[in-house]
Amino acid sequence: SAQRLGGNQGLRFRPALNVESVPDLGLLNDLRTALTSGDQLELHYQPQHRLGDGELVGAEALLRWRHPQQGMIPPDAFIGLAERHGLMASLGSWVISQAAAQLAHWHSPELTELPVWINISAMQLFQGNLESTLSSALHRHGLPAYRLGVELTESVLLDERAGDIVGRLQGLRRSGHPVALDDFGTGYSSLGYLKHLPVDKLKLDRAFVQALPEDPADVAIVDAVVSMASGLGLQVIAEGVESREQRDHLLQAGCQLAQGYFYAAPMPAEEFERYGAQLVAHKRTDLSGSMAMY
Ligand code: C2E
Ligand code: MG
Ligand code: MG
Ligand code: MG
């Protein structure tokens, strides 16, 4: 965006009105309203599974905006807008408090230790108060830090404002938050950088998963990422797993974790709670011990 090219080392995202079209400005006003009214925004949760035994190991929180006239608006359609117009800090804080409140609200035993992963934008990371926003939200509900994981996209590493990104990520991890590098493989960051990057997981972008197992290039890329990650002591979670064939290939390639429509699409919080309970019920009734569902 114009902002990024500006070389501004400061942390304020000044509005660049010239690049916004009239309908976008309307949307921007609506987003301001949504942030103050509070009842148009929701988090949906997508389950994350261990490939080997199908165990539910986490959930990714994904922002949804139920616009009163336009219906559901996907995050890609308004997050950039929020960043350009200084709304990302409040939007990001809303996501953090909402996720923490939800964690506290899930009482079913299968969810009481589950981590929820939130997506954070570059700006939230560089602002400096991310850690305290996270810890105060968790504190309010008496929750430990490991319950909120942080996903940041690989492109953040290339952001020129990413001065002390290593220090910031270290801080997050020292406080107990797991950190994942999102959309891995699409950001053109150097592999040498990974060596020094304090992250726990790589989220293999769904672009590499889509054509598995037919596309030999993607097969090679997946193999390479998995073996590199294992050498670096990182877990790999595959995004966008939609078919059994993809799941089987990833499992056999040594990838540990996956999320995608093959398991479930992102869903509202109440539905996610039922999803967790159903998995447990399935396991109890499956006397053979094999995971018939997967
Ligand atoms: P992401 O973090 O990479 O999230 C994964 C996206 O892939 C989600 O789209 C999810 O719904 C979609 N997805 C999951 N499984 C499948 C599948 O099997 N097939 C396909 N085709 N798609 C799948 P969504 O929810 O539209 O989010 C898009 C992006 O918006 C996210 O990409 C993330 O970068 C951003 N985003 C979402 N929520 C937030 C948020 O709270 N804060 C920030 N800063 N960004 C967010
Ligand atoms: Mg993500
Ligand atoms: Mg992703
Ligand atoms: Mg993405």
Side-chain angles (χ1 to χ4, degrees):
S1 72
Q3 218 58 42
R4 289 193 182 171
L5 296 174
N8 180 5
Q9 296 298 311
L11 299 170
R12 254 168 293 121
F13 279 52
R14 283 166 305 169
L17 290 176
N18 52 321
V19 302
E20 236 57 83
S21 69
V22 172
D24 276 358
L25 289 176
L27 203 63
L28 180 64
N29 266 332
D30 294 348
L31 187 55
R32 288 209 175 92
T33 308
L35 269 167
T36 50
S37 82
D39 55 359
Q40 296 177 27
L41 298 172
E42 300 172 25
L43 288 181
H44 282 196
Y45 298 85
Q46 185 174 37
Q48 300 177 331
H49 288 269
R50 199 153 58 208
L51 280 159
D53 59 3
E55 195 74 35
L56 180 66
V57 293
E60 178 176 7
L62 293 155
L63 191 53
R64 296 292 179 260
W65 178 13
R66 215 180 277 280
H67 189 283
Q69 284 86 40
Q70 298 179 36
M72 232 16 149
I73 301 183
D76 285 333
F78 64 88
I79 279 174
L81 193 71
E83 287 207 330
R84 289 192 295 279
H85 293 273
L87 291 183
M88 201 55 226
S90 32
L91 198 55
S93 302
W94 184 88
V95 168
I96 290 168
S97 16
Q98 183 61 29
Q102 191 56 61
L103 281 170
H105 197 259
W106 278 329
H107 288 299
S108 40
E110 58 277 1
L111 301 187
T112 51
E113 287 176 4
L114 209 73
V116 161
W117 295 77
I118 55 163
N119 292 280
I120 59 154
S121 70
M123 194 229 147
Q124 282 175 281
L125 187 67
F126 307 143
Q127 243 187 358
N129 59 3
L130 175 64
E131 244 183 280
S132 59
T133 308
L134 286 166
S135 68
S136 61
L138 286 166
H139 211 84
R140 231 175 289 145
H141 302 284
L143 295 163
Y146 82 86
R147 301 291 306 276
L148 276 186
V150 169
E151 293 189 5
L152 76 156
T153 62
E154 195 190 357
S155 59
V156 169
L157 308 180
L158 300 178
D159 196 301
E160 61 201 7
R161 296 159 301 173
D164 187 23
I165 193 165
V166 169
R168 282 178 197 273
L169 295 182
Q170 250 157 12
L172 283 172
R173 287 180 80 211
R174 233 179 266 129
S175 312
H177 300 287
V179 176
L181 202 51
D182 207 350
D183 305 330
F184 182 74
T186 60
Y188 310 103
S189 67
S190 95
L191 290 178
Y193 205 66
L194 261 188
K195 186 168 128 182
H196 305 289
L197 207 63
V199 299
D200 303 278
K201 278 181 194 174
L202 301 181
K203 294 197 78 176
L204 181 70
D205 194 78
R206 88 171 119 88
F208 306 112
V209 173
Q210 247 161 22
L212 292 180
E214 288 83 18
D215 188 322
D218 287 333
V219 167
I221 289 169
V222 169
D223 284 351
V225 170
V226 167
S227 76
M228 178 191 66
S230 111
L232 292 170
L234 304 173
Q235 279 195 310
V236 178
I237 174 163
E239 300 187 315
V241 178
E242 296 183 353
S243 72
R244 182 176 298 277
E245 291 69 31
Q246 292 167 348
R247 194 280 315 256
D248 291 346
H249 179 84
L250 288 159
L251 179 61
Q252 161 255 245
C255 179
Q256 297 101 331
L257 307 169
Q259 79 185 78
Y261 301 161
F262 173 68
Y263 294 98
M267 59 189 98
E270 316 76 62
E271 210 177 302
F272 183 76
E273 189 165 26
R274 286 196 293 275
Y275 179 88
Q278 267 163 20
L279 285 180
V280 171
H282 266 276
K283 269 195 287 185
R284 286 207 190 98
T285 50
D286 183 7
L287 295 174
S288 75
S290 72
M291 291 293 293
M293 278 183 77
Y294 302 104

